[in-house]
Amino acid sequence: MSAPVAPLSVAPLDQSTALPLELRSLLSFWNHRRGGRSLPDRADFIAEDFRPWYGHMGILRVEGGDPPRLKVTLAGINVVRYDGRDFTGFY
């Protein structure tokens, strides 16, 4: 079983942030789900909610340790194109 991970400190984004048009709707969706909190809870979503943005997303698994390790469990096609490599399965 993994050790608990300390909460992240996140600066909020807003619509004035320079984002590609196709990601502005994701930011709006994210902000709606998080309400007044820094981050939404995992329970605020189901995977299918993100279907329109799958290609723009990466999913990381946090593994215990000091410091914790991040493993890429999924890299969307647009992330792969941007990076020039598929990092799925890498730390």
Side-chain angles (χ1 to χ4, degrees):
M1 178 177 244
S2 298
V5 177
L8 297 173
S9 175
V10 178
L13 296 173
D14 60 38
Q15 293 294 346
S16 65
T17 304
L19 284 176
L21 184 59
E22 64 270 16
L23 295 181
R24 289 183 192 159
S25 58
L26 173 57
L27 178 58
S28 178
F29 172 70
W30 182 267
N31 285 334
H32 174 75
R33 291 293 175 99
R34 75 179 176 88
R37 301 167 291 174
S38 295
L39 291 169
D41 291 328
R42 172 62 184 96
D44 292 333
F45 304 102
I46 58 172
E48 290 77 16
D49 291 339
F50 294 99
R51 184 176 303 278
W53 307 287
Y54 281 170
H56 297 279
M57 298 175 65
I59 298 176
L60 304 176
R61 182 175 62 224
V62 179
E63 296 185 350
D66 188 19
R69 294 179 70 188
L70 301 176
K71 184 174 185 177
V72 179
T73 57
L74 176 72
I77 189 65
N78 294 314
V79 175
V80 171
R81 287 180 185 146
Y82 179 83
D83 289 336
R85 182 173 176 195
D86 185 354
F87 287 98
T88 300
F90 287 80
Y91 288 90

